Amino acid sequence: MVQFVSLLVLVAVFTLATVLPVNMGILAFVAAFVVGAISGISVDDVTGYFPGDTFVLVVGITLLFGVAKVNGTIDLVVAASLKLVRGRRWAVVWLMFALAAVLMSLGSVLAVGMLAPIAMPIAARYRINPLLMGMMLSHGALSAAFSPITVYGAFTTGMVDDAGLDVSPLLLFAVPFGLNVLIAAVLFAVLGRDLFRGDEDVTGPAQPASGGGSTGTLTRTRTAVVTEARVTPLRVITLTGMLALLVAGAFGIDVGVAAFVIAAVLLLSAPDRHKPSADEVAWPAVLLVCGMLSYMAVLKENGTLAMLGEAAAALGSPLLAALLLCFAVAIVSAFGSSIGTLGIALPLAVPLLDLGQLGAAGFVVALGFCSTVVDVSPFSTNGIIVLAQAQVPDKRVFQRRMLAYSALVVAGAPLLAWTAAILPSAL
């Protein structure tokens, strides 16, 4: 009975957070205490489930990126990169893919938000298909979603470790990266073939889309800031700090703690300049991840996850169950939270893995890929940002094109992940 109530509460949390503008993490924290009380778990125990290491990681990384954004370091990197491609239209598209991947791999969950105000006006100016630019930007960010120092990477690694599974962080990063690159290459081959011609032929300054004067002004201003980015001692120090973070991670130093230390040094070096940096911390992501992890710990303690796993294993064919789970993850995540969906799906994988016919690494990687690649949907944060910044005559027409592309991704990604990651591990 307790397990049944726990599932109903889980569904309610996910549904309410999807249809209402309420952070899922807040609801998950409340659910953890309520379901914990029903299950006989004390408040102190529920509080003890709070993932402090994940909190430090997410806050530290996003704070460091907040500093880099406020002092113009991100703009400097983008401006220098744009100079390298020298107006080559095909190169501009892949540059945005690469920049989004780099920013995300370093821990910026707002990579698309940072680049879309730059990339979409550039698409209009250089006559690049806006759907191509927007989706390449999204796939670039999503390709690096499972870097060890991202929200997605930390969340998945934490759940995998708690389940006692052996999944290489390098594999968890590399497979989604490769699959997103493959999808991006196919997308470019279909929509970007004409970009190799007429590199110098542009339409002039980007104009605001119909009904979006304020958006047009914002994007023109943002582009101007990037164009005027200069090398300064503060920006050089910030870049050095970000590189130091990568080195720290490579040597096994706690990335969250290292990010806090580097961010604190930068804040002290120019406190007035960096005062707005705290506003850039991804508090919604912090709430979401920590709330879901806390609630999942309660469900593990009261036996709900074990019951769900047994139900999944009862399907008989682990390969079929894995494929169905991948499809379910892709469909649900296209309309809701990727992390929330992944938090529900990963525990279901454990009993299927216990049957011995599936490889743990392949299954976890496939679920991770399916939960994030559908964030190209206009119902996701990335998709909403791309839609808002698109310089197109009719946003409704563009939204329909995004929906059509998203439907292809939702239908194809599970098959791709199952074939590339799950099936080989079962042979």
Side-chain angles (χ1 to χ4, degrees), residues 63-64 67 234 237-238 241 258-271 274:
L63 176 61
L64 178 57
V67 172
L234 185 58
I237 295 172
T238 304
F260 259 111
V261 171
I262 295 170
V265 171
L266 292 170
L267 289 170
L268 292 173
S269 67
H274 291 143

Side-chain angles (χ1 to χ4, degrees), residues 185-411:
V186 173
L187 179 65
F188 183 84
V190 174
L191 298 181
R193 289 172 296 177
D194 64 324
L195 298 184
F196 290 99
R197 301 190 303 271
D199 293 339
E200 74 288 345
D201 187 14
V202 297
T203 63
Q207 299 298 320
S210 176
S214 60
T215 300
T217 301
L218 171 64
T219 51
R220 286 196 299 273
T221 302
R222 179 76 167 150
T223 304
V225 170
V226 173
T227 304
E228 297 169 2
R230 304 186 310 276
V231 177
T232 65
L234 185 58
R235 291 170 181 170
V236 172
I237 295 172
T238 304
L239 281 174
T240 303
M242 295 171 73
L243 292 175
L245 182 66
L246 290 178
V247 174
F251 282 93
I253 300 174
D254 188 287
V255 174
V257 174
F260 259 111
V261 171
I262 295 170
V265 171
L266 292 170
L267 289 170
L268 292 173
S269 67
D272 291 334
R273 175 73 180 275
H274 291 143
K275 187 177 180 180
S277 300
D279 297 332
E280 300 294 333
V281 174
W283 294 115
V286 174
L287 277 173
L288 175 59
V289 173
C290 294
M292 285 302 298
L293 283 175
S294 298
Y295 188 57
M296 286 300 133
V298 170
L299 297 191
K300 180 180 179 181
E301 184 67 22
N302 71 9
T304 302
L305 296 184
M307 183 193 73
L308 285 174
E310 292 169 2
L315 289 174
S317 171
L319 275 175
L320 175 60
L323 179 59
L324 292 177
L325 189 56
C326 285
F327 270 109
V329 165
I331 293 170
V332 174
S333 185
F335 296 92
S337 163
S338 297
I339 291 180
T341 305
L342 193 56
I344 297 171
L346 284 176
L348 298 181
V350 177
L352 292 174
L353 294 173
D354 289 340
L355 297 177
Q357 298 182 31
L358 301 174
F363 200 1
V364 170
V365 165
L367 292 176
F369 170 72
C370 290
S371 71
T372 54
V373 70
V374 294
D375 281 353
V376 296
S377 161
F379 299 107
S380 69
T381 301
N382 288 343
I384 290 171
I385 292 173
V386 168
L387 178 62
Q389 298 296 336
Q391 305 292 290
V392 293
D394 192 330
K395 290 287 183 74
R396 287 171 295 184
V397 172
F398 185 67
Q399 183 181 36
R400 287 197 290 270
R401 295 182 65 195
M402 289 182 66
L403 281 171
Y405 177 75
S406 301
L408 291 175
V409 173
V410 169

Side-chain angles (χ1 to χ4, degrees), residues 162-188:
D162 289 343
L165 301 177
D166 183 19
V167 179
S168 166
L170 178 60
L171 188 66
L172 180 62
F173 172 80
V175 174
F177 179 83
L179 294 179
N180 273 284
V181 170
L182 175 61
I183 294 174
V186 173
L187 179 65
F188 183 84

